[in-house]
Amino acid sequence: MTTPREGALAGLAAGAVTLGTAELLAAAWVRLLAGAGVPSPLLAVGAAFVDLTPAWLKDWAVTTFGTADKVALGVGMALTLTLICAGLGALSSRHRTLGLGLFAVVGLVGMAAVVTRPSSGPLDATPTVVGVLVGSWLLGRLLDRGAHPTPQAGGASRRELLQTAGGLTVLGVVGIAAGQALSTAGRAADRAARAIGLPRPTREVTVPAGAVSDLAEHTAYLTPNDSFYRIDTALRVPRVDPDGWRLKVTGLVEREVEISYAELLEEEHVEALVTLTCVSNTVGGDLVGNARWQGWPVRELLARAGVRPEADMVLSRSVDGWTAGTPIEALTDDRDALLAVAMNGEPLPAQHGFPVRLVVPGLYGYVSATKWVTELKVTRFDADEGYWTPRGWSALGPIKTASRIDVPRDRARVAAGEVVVAGVAWAQHRGIEAVEVQVDEEVWRPAELLDQPTVDAWRLWRWTWPEATPGDHVLRVRATDGAGEVQTADVAAPAPDGASGWHTVRVRVVGS
Ligand SMILES: Nc1nc2c(c(=O)[nH]1)N[C@H]1C(S)=C(S)[C@@H](COP(=O)(O)O)O[C@H]1N2
Ligand SMILES: [Mo]
């Protein structure tokens, strides 16, 4: 008789070998066939899970884990799979057919996830099918071994079963890790990115000295690429070969057009300072960053295609199937909506959309900032919707006026006397006209504003608190946008169209 404990170990071994086999084959599949699909069952299940995440759960995950949400998903999946495999193994030790049947059902779920990825074809399920066949066979064998110990040496055979299962589990896990590492086939694309000679923009921007703070702890006016927040649904950063990249304009147009990366680089590029903001950013949060972007205005490509008058939206699509729905005016009016190829003077990093992404001033990223963009479908809001809209987010996503205190930090201790308070404020495409700070519930005091080279980017501010007295105090900030509208005090969560409310920090002032 196999005991449930032995069964559980057999289940773990079978699960690990299934996934190890599937992930190694999937890596080979990606490297050799260079298809666009997602043959890895782990990535496909994770991506399907992300797709099915309701707004409240996404909100919770981003609030709790921030940009480490993908790591959290990985840990959650590993724990879930461990429990499932051990459970099914234990069940199989008593009810063999049922256990093996359910093991196959879990395998089918993986195959279903693989083939339903937008970029996958049916053949992409091959690695998973092979993995499940190997794993099921192995589970049967391990259970047999436990069930029929040789009469002479029952104990020895049990020990041998445990050792074999343990060894196979380790092998399987190594296979999974190797598969993941191998399929990160980024090297060629990364090298291509570094070698790209960017055209010189016909309009260059420089950041005026007056926009930059000399206060060390103050937020940098330009956010460096490697500390720029990253938010997307891609469990593995898409590595797009610029030579094979095409951008198509389809839908309600006079004529469909398609351009290559080389053609895009030959157009007249401009530079623009634009602050991106994620709709999931909470009050005082850091899912916001400012960069100098270089690219070709989207309006020019749309003009080439000829937008039909009935169109009111552009559905931009990424290589991995993700979409954003942007109001057509935002892409055709005179703002700097760009097909961006560079960020702070470098080709776009892979994480931020190499080779080409959209950057649209004034709109949250989920309705505008498509990375790895491959298609612009000119359409209507009543005919199409972007990725997040059916998942509980508003179809329209203008950025709400916001302000943040960066100095001093929440819960900081500061010395009594003069205290410098500083931060940023943003109301993209409207600009910031005023920032005010309040201590405890006293009157609002105007902060000093640094220069604002463009209304499309954030504005730094500072205020000197003349006489901070010992004790606990509350600091609050609010901004007024370029239209004279004061930032709302109404507290709202990120879903469905962005958080609001005044950022508040608590400080302890200590006698000096
Ligand atoms: N392809 C793709 N593009 C995407 C997303 C995505 O999930 N997939 N997320 C959007 C969201 S929600 C935001 S806030 C911005 C973030 O851009 P960043 O990661 O470069 O900061 O990208 C947008 N572009
Ligand atoms: Mo976002």
Side-chain angles (χ1 to χ4, degrees):
M1 242 344 224
T2 315
T3 65
R5 213 176 60 102
E6 289 162 347
L9 191 57
L12 275 183
V17 167
T18 300
L19 284 170
T21 309
E23 293 298 322
L24 275 176
L25 285 175
W29 194 264
V30 166
R31 301 228 101 175
L32 298 178
L33 304 181
V38 183
S40 149
L42 282 176
L43 277 186
V45 168
F49 182 83
V50 171
D51 281 355
L52 296 173
T53 307
W56 62 265
L57 183 58
K58 188 214 176 194
D59 229 30
W60 174 82
V62 171
T63 316
T64 315
F65 305 112
T67 47
D69 54 347
K70 293 184 177 70
V71 177
L73 175 64
V75 171
M77 279 179 58
L79 288 176
T80 309
L81 280 167
T82 304
L83 286 177
I84 290 180
C85 291
L88 288 181
L91 176 70
S92 307
S93 69
R94 290 287 175 267
H95 307 278
R96 160 80 69 113
T97 322
L98 181 63
L100 283 172
L102 287 175
F103 191 84
V105 169
V106 174
L108 276 176
V109 171
M111 290 170 219
V114 165
V115 297
T116 52
R117 286 290 84 212
S119 49
S120 287
L123 281 180
D124 285 314
T126 312
T128 312
V129 173
V130 175
V132 171
L133 288 176
V134 172
S136 320
W137 171 82
L138 183 70
L139 182 55
R141 283 298 310 268
L142 288 172
L143 292 168
D144 284 345
R145 282 235 236 156
H148 313 290
T150 45
Q152 316 88 304
S157 157
R158 283 248 144 84
R159 230 176 3 259
E160 204 190 305
L161 167 72
L162 295 183
Q163 278 169 2
T164 312
L168 285 169
T169 306
V170 171
L171 262 183
V173 171
V174 169
I176 296 171
Q180 297 298 317
L182 277 175
S183 61
T184 311
R187 269 141 281 167
D190 288 348
R191 232 179 295 120
R194 274 195 300 277
I196 279 163
L198 291 168
R200 182 147 188 187
T202 48
R203 192 190 74 209
E204 293 181 88
V205 294
T206 45
V207 177
V212 181
S213 178
D214 48 17
L215 195 68
E217 318 88 90
H218 208 163
T219 301
Y221 181 78
L222 285 178
T223 314
N225 291 358
D226 54 12
S227 52
F228 205 97
Y229 83 93
R230 172 189 167 205
I231 290 285
D232 54 59
T233 59
L235 295 182
R236 178 164 298 145
V237 176
R239 306 287 170 156
V240 180
D241 172 10
D243 292 331
W245 179 88
R246 296 284 184 282
L247 177 61
K248 283 187 300 195
V249 185
T250 62
L252 301 173
V253 289
E254 301 303 334
R255 60 206 85 79
E256 296 204 342
V257 294
E258 189 179 290
I259 56 164
S260 68
Y261 188 62
E263 285 161 347
L264 177 58
L265 292 188
E266 275 165 24
E267 299 298 339
E268 281 198 11
H269 285 207
V270 298
E271 274 188 330
L273 299 166
V274 180
T275 298
L276 290 192
T277 310
C278 183
V279 69
S280 297
N281 192 41
T282 49
V283 172
D286 56 7
L287 299 180
V288 53
N290 187 39
R292 180 165 55 92
W293 307 93
Q294 170 183 333
W296 187 41
V298 190
R299 89 175 80 80
E300 305 212 7
L301 180 63
L302 291 176
R304 196 171 285 178
V307 170
R308 298 236 291 266
E310 64 270 31
D312 62 8
M313 185 242 257
V314 169
L315 188 76
S316 50
R317 184 179 297 276
S318 153
V319 69
D320 64 358
W322 187 87
T323 55
T326 311
I328 208 137
E329 319 82 77
L331 301 176
T332 50
D333 66 14
D334 60 1
R335 81 184 76 189
D336 289 316
L338 300 180
L339 290 164
V341 298
M343 181 177 185
N344 292 323
E346 284 167 29
L348 285 180
Q351 299 200 353
H352 296 290
F354 182 81
V356 183
R357 76 173 304 169
L358 282 171
V359 170
V360 184
L363 306 180
Y364 286 121
Y366 82 108
V367 290
S368 69
T370 305
K371 304 191 268 191
W372 317 290
V373 63
T374 56
E375 185 191 351
L376 303 180
K377 180 186 179 195
V378 179
T379 177
R380 297 181 49 83
F381 278 101
D382 59 19
D384 275 300
E385 48 187 8
Y387 181 90
W388 285 110
T389 305
R391 294 170 170 84
W393 299 81
S394 167
L396 296 179
I399 298 175
K400 295 181 179 176
T401 301
S403 49
R404 191 178 74 193
I405 298 172
D406 295 328
V407 186
R409 295 257 156 224
D410 194 27
R411 316 273 155 188
R413 289 167 151 266
V414 296
E418 217 177 73
V419 172
V420 174
V421 181
V424 289
W426 59 88
Q428 288 90 323
H429 211 53
R430 300 183 296 281
I432 292 293
E433 191 177 278
V435 171
E436 297 163 287
V437 181
Q438 186 192 47
V439 179
D440 301 325
E441 303 278 306
E442 292 165 21
V443 292
W444 288 93
R445 313 278 180 186
E448 174 198 333
L449 294 171
L450 278 72
D451 286 352
Q452 174 172 251
T454 165
V455 292
D456 293 336
W458 62 19
R459 186 166 197 175
L460 275 59
W461 58 265
R462 57 185 285 165
W463 176 70
T464 308
W465 181 2
E467 267 174 82
T469 50
D472 289 341
H473 295 282
V474 175
L475 296 170
R476 239 183 226 108
V477 65
R478 70 178 185 195
T480 302
D481 74 6
E485 199 73 45
V486 179
Q487 180 186 338
T488 180
D490 293 346
V491 173
D497 63 357
S500 67
W502 294 333
H503 186 214
T504 302
V505 302
R506 273 152 255 275
V507 293
R508 175 154 297 175
V509 178
V510 292
S512 41

